[in-house]
Every structure is written in C-alpha cells, then in structure tokens.
Amino acid sequence: MKKAALKKSSSDEILFFYSLLGFILILPFSGNAFSTPGIYIFYSFLKALIVASSWMLAFVALRSMTVSLYGIMDMSRMVFSTLLGVFVLGEEMTLAKALGVIIVTTGLLLANSKSDSPKGRVSITVLLAALLNCILNSISGTMDKVLMKSMTSDQLQFWFMLFLLVLYGLILIVRKEKVSISTLKGNYWIPLMSLSLVFGDRLLFIANASPESQVTVMTVIKQSSVFVTVLTGWLFFKEKNILFKTLCAIIILSGIMISVIWG
C-alpha cells in the first residue's frame, strides 16, 4: 500500500494524513489515556520518534526498491530483534538462535544478489535506508514488549499516534510543504493504510502484553507477511524474479523458525 500511495502523493503528505486518520480512528477507545504516568508518556514519545524516523527511511527505500525485495529486506529486523532480546531483555542466545541469524543473513545477501533493474543492484544508500528502518523497527518492537508491562494498549496507542501526528506536522512546517485534504480523495491508499496501522498495532500490543510472548516469536509471526509482499509485487507491480525471491524468503523464514523452535 505504501508503494502504491507513493505514485500519487509525496512521502510527507502520506505520513501526515496516515497518522491523522489513524489518530482519529483510535480516539473513541482512548478514555483512560490521560491516566498514564508521565514517564510512560515520555517513553511513548521516544517510540513515536523512532517509528517516525523508521517510516521516513522506509519511504526512501521504497522509492528505489521493488516492493518484493523491500519485503525481504524488511525481514532483517529478526537479526536485530534477536540481539535486542538477548542484550536488553535478557533472553538467552542459544546455538539455534545464532544459526538462525546466520541463515537469515545468507538469505538477505542472496535476495540482493539478483536485481530487477538493468542498472544493477540497488545502491548502498537505499540498502542502508532499508536496514536502518529495520533496526529502528526492532527497537520499537522491543519497547512494545517493555511498555506493555505497565501500559494498556489503549494508552500506548493513543500517545504513540498523537506524537506521530505532531512530529509529521512539524516536519511539514519546517519543510514548508503544503498539504490538501483533496490528497485523500485522490489517494485512497492512505485511509486504507491508516486502518491497517490501527487494527494491526492494536492486535500487536495485545499480543505483546502477554508475559509468554518473546520478541523473536513475535518477529516470526510478523515476518511471515513477506509472502504477501512478494505476491503483490508480482501481481500488481509486475516485478521479476519472483520465484527466486520466494526461495530467498523461504530460506530466511527457515532461519527464523530454527531460531524460535529450537532457540
């Protein structure tokens, strides 16, 4: 949806309206948000700052990268999530997890070895944007696990979306970029993205609230979406090398599964 939205609007417009609609959607369920302790409101701001930066990097990558390759590169967050789970949350680094990280890295390198573009592989700058996006997303996912021990999903989602909206609004002001409500009429992908964000985040926060959930397990479940990304890249964007990319995705998911099942 992000890739499709970029064809009609600028990334700043998309991110602002994306956050605005998302915030409006969660307002009816945010009655207890103002009872949140001040320190957790601050942590919610930090999470919003991290995610806002992550999404901006994601759009930089999506402008130059096919959606199927982006989906595969996005799976690298498993590597960073595993390391954060070990060093921040105290989860054990086992041989299986280490092997899983190696297999995932191998699959990622394979995915970038074959390009859809006659100009060759994507640039280092674009790859770095994609990887930094994954690192920041991993940090955000780790924060979810920690914050959900002391906040409700209503509280976290309210403050997170509010701060996202403020941050993107400030970016528009600093860059002096004009936006129009007509953008929503001409780009229906933006409201669809907002619905996806709000509904998906709510389910994710509920899952993270479970004391039995681990960062690595949550990563496996989220990253299985790569097959949807690869498939839509083929069906809607006519991207090439789909079978090869599917194989790379299977290799990466295998590494993630080894890390989770035997880790």
Side-chain angles (χ1 to χ4, degrees), residues 1-27:
M1 288 191 282
K2 290 174 182 174
K3 183 76 171 180
L6 275 171
K7 292 185 175 182
K8 297 184 177 182
S9 306
S10 71
S11 57
D12 289 344
E13 277 186 306
I14 293 170
L15 289 169
F16 175 75
F17 283 118
Y18 184 26
S19 303
L20 174 61
L21 292 176
F23 180 67
I24 292 171
L25 286 170
I26 59 101
L27 278 178

PDB file of all heavy atoms in Angstrom, residues 1-27:
ATOM      1  N   MET A   1       0.822  -1.202   0.000  1.00  0.00           N
ATOM      2  CA  MET A   1       0.000   0.000   0.000  1.00  0.00           C
ATOM      3  C   MET A   1       0.862   1.260   0.000  1.00  0.00           C
ATOM      4  O   MET A   1       0.527   2.265  -0.625  1.00  0.00           O
ATOM      5  CB  MET A   1      -0.944  -0.009   1.202  1.00  0.00           C
ATOM      6  CG  MET A   1      -2.084  -1.030   1.071  1.00  0.00           C
ATOM      7  SD  MET A   1      -3.381  -0.846   2.320  1.00  0.00           S
ATOM      8  CE  MET A   1      -2.588  -1.617   3.718  1.00  0.00           C
ATOM      9  N   LYS A   2       1.994   1.218   0.722  1.00  0.00           N
ATOM     10  CA  LYS A   2       2.901   2.369   0.738  1.00  0.00           C
ATOM     11  C   LYS A   2       3.465   2.626  -0.657  1.00  0.00           C
ATOM     12  O   LYS A   2       3.552   3.771  -1.106  1.00  0.00           O
ATOM     13  CB  LYS A   2       4.035   2.133   1.730  1.00  0.00           C
ATOM     14  CG  LYS A   2       3.593   2.162   3.190  1.00  0.00           C
ATOM     15  CD  LYS A   2       4.735   1.772   4.107  1.00  0.00           C
ATOM     16  CE  LYS A   2       4.275   1.745   5.550  1.00  0.00           C
ATOM     17  NZ  LYS A   2       5.315   1.231   6.460  1.00  0.00           N
ATOM     18  N   LYS A   3       3.862   1.560  -1.332  1.00  0.00           N
ATOM     19  CA  LYS A   3       4.426   1.684  -2.668  1.00  0.00           C
ATOM     20  C   LYS A   3       3.409   2.290  -3.625  1.00  0.00           C
ATOM     21  O   LYS A   3       3.723   3.166  -4.429  1.00  0.00           O
ATOM     22  CB  LYS A   3       4.872   0.307  -3.168  1.00  0.00           C
ATOM     23  CG  LYS A   3       5.557   0.299  -4.529  1.00  0.00           C
ATOM     24  CD  LYS A   3       6.969   0.793  -4.455  1.00  0.00           C
ATOM     25  CE  LYS A   3       7.705   0.584  -5.759  1.00  0.00           C
ATOM     26  NZ  LYS A   3       9.108   1.063  -5.702  1.00  0.00           N
ATOM     27  N   ALA A   4       2.161   1.828  -3.533  1.00  0.00           N
ATOM     28  CA  ALA A   4       1.106   2.346  -4.402  1.00  0.00           C
ATOM     29  C   ALA A   4       0.785   3.800  -4.073  1.00  0.00           C
ATOM     30  O   ALA A   4       0.558   4.622  -4.964  1.00  0.00           O
ATOM     31  CB  ALA A   4      -0.149   1.489  -4.263  1.00  0.00           C
ATOM     32  N   ALA A   5       0.777   4.144  -2.783  1.00  0.00           N
ATOM     33  CA  ALA A   5       0.466   5.516  -2.371  1.00  0.00           C
ATOM     34  C   ALA A   5       1.517   6.500  -2.871  1.00  0.00           C
ATOM     35  O   ALA A   5       1.207   7.649  -3.208  1.00  0.00           O
ATOM     36  CB  ALA A   5       0.364   5.588  -0.846  1.00  0.00           C
ATOM     37  N   LEU A   6       2.775   6.057  -2.944  1.00  0.00           N
ATOM     38  CA  LEU A   6       3.867   6.933  -3.376  1.00  0.00           C
ATOM     39  C   LEU A   6       3.728   7.376  -4.826  1.00  0.00           C
ATOM     40  O   LEU A   6       4.338   8.371  -5.234  1.00  0.00           O
ATOM     41  CB  LEU A   6       5.208   6.218  -3.197  1.00  0.00           C
ATOM     42  CG  LEU A   6       5.853   6.306  -1.814  1.00  0.00           C
ATOM     43  CD1 LEU A   6       7.047   5.378  -1.724  1.00  0.00           C
ATOM     44  CD2 LEU A   6       6.262   7.747  -1.498  1.00  0.00           C
ATOM     45  N   LYS A   7       2.944   6.643  -5.602  1.00  0.00           N
ATOM     46  CA  LYS A   7       2.756   7.013  -7.003  1.00  0.00           C
ATOM     47  C   LYS A   7       1.877   8.249  -7.158  1.00  0.00           C
ATOM     48  O   LYS A   7       1.868   8.884  -8.207  1.00  0.00           O
ATOM     49  CB  LYS A   7       2.145   5.845  -7.782  1.00  0.00           C
ATOM     50  CG  LYS A   7       3.087   4.650  -7.922  1.00  0.00           C
ATOM     51  CD  LYS A   7       2.472   3.572  -8.795  1.00  0.00           C
ATOM     52  CE  LYS A   7       3.453   2.427  -9.042  1.00  0.00           C
ATOM     53  NZ  LYS A   7       2.892   1.390  -9.936  1.00  0.00           N
ATOM     54  N   LYS A   8       1.124   8.578  -6.097  1.00  0.00           N
ATOM     55  CA  LYS A   8       0.176   9.681  -6.192  1.00  0.00           C
ATOM     56  C   LYS A   8       0.474  10.854  -5.263  1.00  0.00           C
ATOM     57  O   LYS A   8      -0.030  11.948  -5.475  1.00  0.00           O
ATOM     58  CB  LYS A   8      -1.241   9.167  -5.899  1.00  0.00           C
ATOM     59  CG  LYS A   8      -1.755   8.138  -6.900  1.00  0.00           C
ATOM     60  CD  LYS A   8      -3.195   7.758  -6.593  1.00  0.00           C
ATOM     61  CE  LYS A   8      -3.766   6.787  -7.629  1.00  0.00           C
ATOM     62  NZ  LYS A   8      -5.182   6.453  -7.362  1.00  0.00           N
ATOM     63  N   SER A   9       1.261  10.614  -4.210  1.00  0.00           N
ATOM     64  CA  SER A   9       1.495  11.670  -3.216  1.00  0.00           C
ATOM     65  C   SER A   9       2.942  11.634  -2.743  1.00  0.00           C
ATOM     66  O   SER A   9       3.638  10.635  -2.908  1.00  0.00           O
ATOM     67  CB  SER A   9       0.558  11.480  -2.009  1.00  0.00           C
ATOM     68  OG  SER A   9      -0.792  11.392  -2.408  1.00  0.00           O
ATOM     69  N   SER A  10       3.361  12.753  -2.119  1.00  0.00           N
ATOM     70  CA  SER A  10       4.704  12.798  -1.534  1.00  0.00           C
ATOM     71  C   SER A  10       4.715  12.004  -0.239  1.00  0.00           C
ATOM     72  O   SER A  10       3.675  11.796   0.394  1.00  0.00           O
ATOM     73  CB  SER A  10       5.107  14.245  -1.257  1.00  0.00           C
ATOM     74  OG  SER A  10       4.358  14.773  -0.174  1.00  0.00           O
ATOM     75  N   SER A  11       5.901  11.587   0.186  1.00  0.00           N
ATOM     76  CA  SER A  11       6.005  10.799   1.413  1.00  0.00           C
ATOM     77  C   SER A  11       5.562  11.605   2.633  1.00  0.00           C
ATOM     78  O   SER A  11       4.934  11.063   3.554  1.00  0.00           O
ATOM     79  CB  SER A  11       7.443  10.293   1.603  1.00  0.00           C
ATOM     80  OG  SER A  11       8.356  11.369   1.630  1.00  0.00           O
ATOM     81  N   ASP A  12       5.853  12.917   2.659  1.00  0.00           N
ATOM     82  CA  ASP A  12       5.446  13.746   3.795  1.00  0.00           C
ATOM     83  C   ASP A  12       3.927  13.837   3.903  1.00  0.00           C
ATOM     84  O   ASP A  12       3.354  13.755   5.002  1.00  0.00           O
ATOM     85  CB  ASP A  12       6.031  15.155   3.657  1.00  0.00           C
ATOM     86  CG  ASP A  12       7.540  15.179   3.891  1.00  0.00           C
ATOM     87  OD1 ASP A  12       8.061  14.198   4.439  1.00  0.00           O
ATOM     88  OD2 ASP A  12       8.180  16.173   3.513  1.00  0.00           O
ATOM     89  N   GLU A  13       3.264  14.015   2.768  1.00  0.00           N
ATOM     90  CA  GLU A  13       1.795  14.061   2.764  1.00  0.00           C
ATOM     91  C   GLU A  13       1.214  12.742   3.250  1.00  0.00           C
ATOM     92  O   GLU A  13       0.296  12.720   4.075  1.00  0.00           O
ATOM     93  CB  GLU A  13       1.285  14.318   1.340  1.00  0.00           C
ATOM     94  CG  GLU A  13       1.269  15.752   0.893  1.00  0.00           C
ATOM     95  CD  GLU A  13       0.606  15.893  -0.460  1.00  0.00           C
ATOM     96  OE1 GLU A  13       1.033  15.188  -1.405  1.00  0.00           O
ATOM     97  OE2 GLU A  13      -0.337  16.692  -0.580  1.00  0.00           O
ATOM     98  N   ILE A  14       1.751  11.655   2.723  1.00  0.00           N
ATOM     99  CA  ILE A  14       1.249  10.331   3.084  1.00  0.00           C
ATOM    100  C   ILE A  14       1.378  10.103   4.588  1.00  0.00           C
ATOM    101  O   ILE A  14       0.422   9.690   5.261  1.00  0.00           O
ATOM    102  CB  ILE A  14       2.003   9.231   2.313  1.00  0.00           C
ATOM    103  CG1 ILE A  14       1.694   9.313   0.826  1.00  0.00           C
ATOM    104  CG2 ILE A  14       1.631   7.844   2.849  1.00  0.00           C
ATOM    105  CD1 ILE A  14       2.581   8.433  -0.037  1.00  0.00           C
ATOM    106  N   LEU A  15       2.553  10.384   5.132  1.00  0.00           N
ATOM    107  CA  LEU A  15       2.805  10.108   6.544  1.00  0.00           C
ATOM    108  C   LEU A  15       1.954  10.992   7.454  1.00  0.00           C
ATOM    109  O   LEU A  15       1.479  10.530   8.501  1.00  0.00           O
ATOM    110  CB  LEU A  15       4.292  10.302   6.844  1.00  0.00           C
ATOM    111  CG  LEU A  15       5.200   9.216   6.241  1.00  0.00           C
ATOM    112  CD1 LEU A  15       6.664   9.616   6.350  1.00  0.00           C
ATOM    113  CD2 LEU A  15       4.972   7.879   6.924  1.00  0.00           C
ATOM    114  N   PHE A  16       1.726  12.250   7.056  1.00  0.00           N
ATOM    115  CA  PHE A  16       0.903  13.138   7.881  1.00  0.00           C
ATOM    116  C   PHE A  16      -0.548  12.656   7.910  1.00  0.00           C
ATOM    117  O   PHE A  16      -1.144  12.490   8.994  1.00  0.00           O
ATOM    118  CB  PHE A  16       0.970  14.573   7.358  1.00  0.00           C
ATOM    119  CG  PHE A  16       0.043  15.511   8.086  1.00  0.00           C
ATOM    120  CD1 PHE A  16       0.351  15.949   9.356  1.00  0.00           C
ATOM    121  CD2 PHE A  16      -1.142  15.939   7.511  1.00  0.00           C
ATOM    122  CE1 PHE A  16      -0.504  16.799  10.051  1.00  0.00           C
ATOM    123  CE2 PHE A  16      -2.002  16.784   8.183  1.00  0.00           C
ATOM    124  CZ  PHE A  16      -1.679  17.221   9.458  1.00  0.00           C
ATOM    125  N   PHE A  17      -1.138  12.438   6.737  1.00  0.00           N
ATOM    126  CA  PHE A  17      -2.539  12.012   6.698  1.00  0.00           C
ATOM    127  C   PHE A  17      -2.719  10.596   7.240  1.00  0.00           C
ATOM    128  O   PHE A  17      -3.746  10.275   7.855  1.00  0.00           O
ATOM    129  CB  PHE A  17      -3.076  12.110   5.267  1.00  0.00           C
ATOM    130  CG  PHE A  17      -3.390  13.521   4.848  1.00  0.00           C
ATOM    131  CD1 PHE A  17      -2.721  14.115   3.791  1.00  0.00           C
ATOM    132  CD2 PHE A  17      -4.361  14.248   5.511  1.00  0.00           C
ATOM    133  CE1 PHE A  17      -3.005  15.420   3.409  1.00  0.00           C
ATOM    134  CE2 PHE A  17      -4.662  15.559   5.139  1.00  0.00           C
ATOM    135  CZ  PHE A  17      -3.980  16.141   4.087  1.00  0.00           C
ATOM    136  N   TYR A  18      -1.736   9.763   7.010  1.00  0.00           N
ATOM    137  CA  TYR A  18      -1.700   8.402   7.560  1.00  0.00           C
ATOM    138  C   TYR A  18      -1.847   8.456   9.083  1.00  0.00           C
ATOM    139  O   TYR A  18      -2.683   7.760   9.684  1.00  0.00           O
ATOM    140  CB  TYR A  18      -0.346   7.821   7.154  1.00  0.00           C
ATOM    141  CG  TYR A  18      -0.021   6.397   7.485  1.00  0.00           C
ATOM    142  CD1 TYR A  18      -0.974   5.408   7.659  1.00  0.00           C
ATOM    143  CD2 TYR A  18       1.322   6.017   7.591  1.00  0.00           C
ATOM    144  CE1 TYR A  18      -0.610   4.095   7.929  1.00  0.00           C
ATOM    145  CE2 TYR A  18       1.695   4.707   7.851  1.00  0.00           C
ATOM    146  CZ  TYR A  18       0.721   3.751   8.027  1.00  0.00           C
ATOM    147  OH  TYR A  18       1.086   2.462   8.291  1.00  0.00           O
ATOM    148  N   SER A  19      -1.051   9.323   9.722  1.00  0.00           N
ATOM    149  CA  SER A  19      -1.075   9.461  11.176  1.00  0.00           C
ATOM    150  C   SER A  19      -2.347  10.162  11.658  1.00  0.00           C
ATOM    151  O   SER A  19      -2.923   9.792  12.686  1.00  0.00           O
ATOM    152  CB  SER A  19       0.153  10.241  11.652  1.00  0.00           C
ATOM    153  OG  SER A  19       1.333   9.611  11.229  1.00  0.00           O
ATOM    154  N   LEU A  20      -2.792  11.182  10.906  1.00  0.00           N
ATOM    155  CA  LEU A  20      -4.001  11.920  11.287  1.00  0.00           C
ATOM    156  C   LEU A  20      -5.216  11.003  11.314  1.00  0.00           C
ATOM    157  O   LEU A  20      -5.976  10.978  12.297  1.00  0.00           O
ATOM    158  CB  LEU A  20      -4.235  13.073  10.311  1.00  0.00           C
ATOM    159  CG  LEU A  20      -5.534  13.863  10.489  1.00  0.00           C
ATOM    160  CD1 LEU A  20      -5.584  14.518  11.851  1.00  0.00           C
ATOM    161  CD2 LEU A  20      -5.695  14.894   9.371  1.00  0.00           C
ATOM    162  N   LEU A  21      -5.409  10.255  10.251  1.00  0.00           N
ATOM    163  CA  LEU A  21      -6.556   9.343  10.201  1.00  0.00           C
ATOM    164  C   LEU A  21      -6.437   8.250  11.255  1.00  0.00           C
ATOM    165  O   LEU A  21      -7.425   7.865  11.880  1.00  0.00           O
ATOM    166  CB  LEU A  21      -6.658   8.720   8.809  1.00  0.00           C
ATOM    167  CG  LEU A  21      -7.033   9.677   7.670  1.00  0.00           C
ATOM    168  CD1 LEU A  21      -6.992   8.948   6.330  1.00  0.00           C
ATOM    169  CD2 LEU A  21      -8.416  10.275   7.895  1.00  0.00           C
ATOM    170  N   GLY A  22      -5.221   7.753  11.454  1.00  0.00           N
ATOM    171  CA  GLY A  22      -5.013   6.729  12.476  1.00  0.00           C
ATOM    172  C   GLY A  22      -5.360   7.247  13.855  1.00  0.00           C
ATOM    173  O   GLY A  22      -6.009   6.558  14.651  1.00  0.00           O
ATOM    174  N   PHE A  23      -4.965   8.487  14.157  1.00  0.00           N
ATOM    175  CA  PHE A  23      -5.265   9.081  15.464  1.00  0.00           C
ATOM    176  C   PHE A  23      -6.764   9.267  15.654  1.00  0.00           C
ATOM    177  O   PHE A  23      -7.311   8.986  16.728  1.00  0.00           O
ATOM    178  CB  PHE A  23      -4.549  10.425  15.588  1.00  0.00           C
ATOM    179  CG  PHE A  23      -4.782  11.115  16.900  1.00  0.00           C
ATOM    180  CD1 PHE A  23      -4.278  10.585  18.073  1.00  0.00           C
ATOM    181  CD2 PHE A  23      -5.515  12.294  16.956  1.00  0.00           C
ATOM    182  CE1 PHE A  23      -4.501  11.214  19.295  1.00  0.00           C
ATOM    183  CE2 PHE A  23      -5.740  12.929  18.161  1.00  0.00           C
ATOM    184  CZ  PHE A  23      -5.228  12.385  19.338  1.00  0.00           C
ATOM    185  N   ILE A  24      -7.451   9.722  14.612  1.00  0.00           N
ATOM    186  CA  ILE A  24      -8.909   9.898  14.688  1.00  0.00           C
ATOM    187  C   ILE A  24      -9.596   8.558  14.950  1.00  0.00           C
ATOM    188  O   ILE A  24     -10.543   8.464  15.743  1.00  0.00           O
ATOM    189  CB  ILE A  24      -9.451  10.530  13.384  1.00  0.00           C
ATOM    190  CG1 ILE A  24      -8.950  11.977  13.259  1.00  0.00           C
ATOM    191  CG2 ILE A  24     -10.967  10.481  13.339  1.00  0.00           C
ATOM    192  CD1 ILE A  24      -9.241  12.616  11.924  1.00  0.00           C
ATOM    193  N   LEU A  25      -9.107   7.504  14.335  1.00  0.00           N
ATOM    194  CA  LEU A  25      -9.715   6.183  14.484  1.00  0.00           C
ATOM    195  C   LEU A  25      -9.587   5.629  15.902  1.00  0.00           C
ATOM    196  O   LEU A  25     -10.465   4.904  16.364  1.00  0.00           O
ATOM    197  CB  LEU A  25      -9.082   5.204  13.493  1.00  0.00           C
ATOM    198  CG  LEU A  25      -9.479   5.366  12.023  1.00  0.00           C
ATOM    199  CD1 LEU A  25      -8.594   4.498  11.138  1.00  0.00           C
ATOM    200  CD2 LEU A  25     -10.951   5.002  11.816  1.00  0.00           C
ATOM    201  N   ILE A  26      -8.499   5.981  16.596  1.00  0.00           N
ATOM    202  CA  ILE A  26      -8.313   5.399  17.930  1.00  0.00           C
ATOM    203  C   ILE A  26      -8.904   6.269  19.052  1.00  0.00           C
ATOM    204  O   ILE A  26      -9.001   5.820  20.197  1.00  0.00           O
ATOM    205  CB  ILE A  26      -6.813   5.120  18.213  1.00  0.00           C
ATOM    206  CG1 ILE A  26      -5.974   6.401  18.120  1.00  0.00           C
ATOM    207  CG2 ILE A  26      -6.279   4.073  17.252  1.00  0.00           C
ATOM    208  CD1 ILE A  26      -5.627   7.026  19.413  1.00  0.00           C
ATOM    209  N   LEU A  27      -9.324   7.491  18.729  1.00  0.00           N
ATOM    210  CA  LEU A  27      -9.866   8.388  19.756  1.00  0.00           C
ATOM    211  C   LEU A  27     -11.021   7.792  20.571  1.00  0.00           C
ATOM    212  O   LEU A  27     -11.057   7.952  21.798  1.00  0.00           O
ATOM    213  CB  LEU A  27     -10.307   9.707  19.115  1.00  0.00           C
ATOM    214  CG  LEU A  27      -9.206  10.739  18.873  1.00  0.00           C
ATOM    215  CD1 LEU A  27      -9.773  11.967  18.186  1.00  0.00           C
ATOM    216  CD2 LEU A  27      -8.533  11.127  20.184  1.00  0.00           C
TER     217      LEU A  27
END
